[in-house]
């Protein structure tokens, strides 16, 4: 299965600032996703990152707050903008490889906003 | 967003005991997945199920796709300390690429 490298692994940020998280996959994949996992909670889909076009956002998530780029089939970024303490979460990149019906996850970015 | 109900929410067990957990949905799914998440890591796929009634094993783990297609079960036999973690189910209906994740079962094993 695909190997996903996610950076940074963790960060502590000041409120009002922005953080960009990178997701690099070792093979070309069709589907890439960004999830949020709030402390002690399950995984919530933020958006599907579409190669060469705007991401598809889930209800409750907007592009101004979580801009996403996907310039090619192996790389995507998620930016958490104008952060507040409520944004403190683990952010996870995941992919679905062609021919597989399951998701592979990166190790996540643990974000703390102070 | 929609979530699947997992039970139990958490459990403490003795090393060597068997563990059972389940996941239920109001929707019919055509795929069920079971993941384990260790602290500081992303979820790792344990077992994938594609057909109602399917029973699949991965070492000491066995998972079943419920015949109603609205539930799934995971069993861990002879638990060991490294089984500690959070177990998530995930389900997907036909016609969508998105998985819905369960609320998670937090497992703690007492040596």
């Amino acid at each position: 299965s695909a190997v996903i490298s996610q950076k940074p692994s963790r960060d502590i940020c000041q409120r009002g600032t922005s953080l960009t998280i990178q997701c690099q996959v070792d093979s070309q994949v069709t589907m890439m996703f960004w999830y949020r996992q709030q402390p002690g909670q399950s995984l919530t889909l933020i958006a599907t990152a579409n190669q060469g076009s705007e991401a598809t956002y889930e209800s409750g998530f907007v592009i101004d707050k979580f801009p996403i780029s996907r310039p090619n089939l192996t790389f995507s970024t998620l930016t958490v903008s104008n952060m507040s303490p409520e944004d403190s979460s683990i952010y996870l990149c995941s992919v679905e490889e062609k021919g597989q019906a399951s998701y592979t996850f990166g190790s996540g970015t643990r974000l703390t906003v102070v | 967003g929609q979530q699947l109900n997992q039970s139990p929410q958490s459990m403490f067990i003795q090393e060597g005991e068997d563990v059972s957990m389940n996941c239920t949905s109001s929707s019919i799914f055509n795929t069920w997945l079971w993941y384990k998440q260790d602290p500081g890591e992303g979820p790792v796929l344990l077992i994938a199920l594609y057909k109602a009634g399917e029973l699949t094993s991965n070492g000491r783990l066995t998972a079943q796709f419920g015949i109603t297609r609205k539930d799934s079960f995971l069993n861990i036999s002879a638990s060991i300390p490294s089984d500690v973690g959070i177990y998530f189910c995930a389900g997907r209906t036909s016609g969508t690429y998105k998985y819905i994740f369960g609320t998670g079962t937090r497992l703690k094993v007492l040596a």
Side-chain angles (χ1 to χ4, degrees):
Chain A
S1 58
V3 176
I4 301 173
S5 173
Q6 199 174 325
K7 296 180 181 179
S9 58
R10 57 176 61 230
D11 208 342
I12 301 173
C13 300
Q14 295 290 326
R15 68 176 68 201
T17 63
S18 297
L19 176 71
T20 296
I21 302 167
Q22 298 181 358
C23 178
Q24 178 72 55
V25 191
D26 69 344
S27 59
Q28 292 186 341
V29 292
T30 306
M31 308 294 288
M32 291 184 77
F33 309 95
W34 287 98
Y35 279 83
R36 181 175 73 183
Q37 186 177 26
Q38 294 177 302
Q41 302 296 313
S42 184
L43 287 75
T44 301
L45 181 63
I46 298 172
T48 302
N50 300 310
Q51 192 257 328
S53 64
E54 191 173 288
T56 304
Y57 289 85
E58 297 299 303
S59 176
F61 297 96
V62 295
I63 188 172
D64 289 346
K65 177 66 176 177
F66 298 103
I68 289 170
S69 77
R70 189 172 174 199
N72 56 52
L73 293 176
T74 64
F75 186 78
S76 179
T77 66
L78 168 73
T79 299
V80 186
S81 302
N82 188 25
M83 290 183 284
S84 67
E86 292 71 35
D87 294 320
S88 298
S89 291
I90 299 171
Y91 292 86
L92 293 152
C93 170
S94 74
V95 304
E96 181 172 357
E97 299 172 74
K98 189 175 181 181
Q100 305 225 9
S102 61
Y103 290 176
T104 301
F105 285 87
S107 56
T109 296
R110 183 178 294 272
L111 171 62
T112 302
V113 183
V114 297
Chain B
Q2 183 183 356
Q3 286 186 333
L4 303 176
N5 293 317
Q6 271 186 255
S7 179
Q9 186 176 15
S10 64
M11 55 197 313
F12 286 84
I13 59 167
Q14 293 285 339
E15 183 176 359
E17 286 185 347
D18 296 344
V19 176
S20 292
M21 61 189 78
N22 66 71
C23 192
T24 59
S25 167
S26 57
S27 302
I28 291 175
F29 288 141
N30 66 350
T31 306
W32 283 98
L33 307 175
W34 284 93
Y35 287 89
K36 182 188 179 212
Q37 186 177 28
D38 291 326
E41 299 293 329
V44 173
L45 182 67
L46 300 174
I47 293 177
L49 302 161
Y50 304 108
K51 195 166 64 174
E54 179 181 352
L55 190 70
T56 298
S57 293
N58 178 6
R60 294 178 295 106
L61 279 63
T62 301
Q64 184 165 23
F65 194 136
I67 57 173
T68 67
R69 298 173 63 191
K70 292 184 177 183
D71 54 12
S72 181
F73 310 89
L74 177 69
N75 296 307
I76 304 172
S77 62
S79 58
I80 59 178
S82 62
D83 290 334
V84 164
I86 305 175
Y87 292 79
F88 289 104
C89 63
R92 182 162 78 177
T93 60
S94 62
T96 179
Y97 58 83
K98 293 185 238 183
Y99 279 99
I100 300 167
F101 280 80
T103 49
T105 293
R106 191 177 299 266
L107 179 64
K108 299 185 181 182
V109 180
L110 305 173

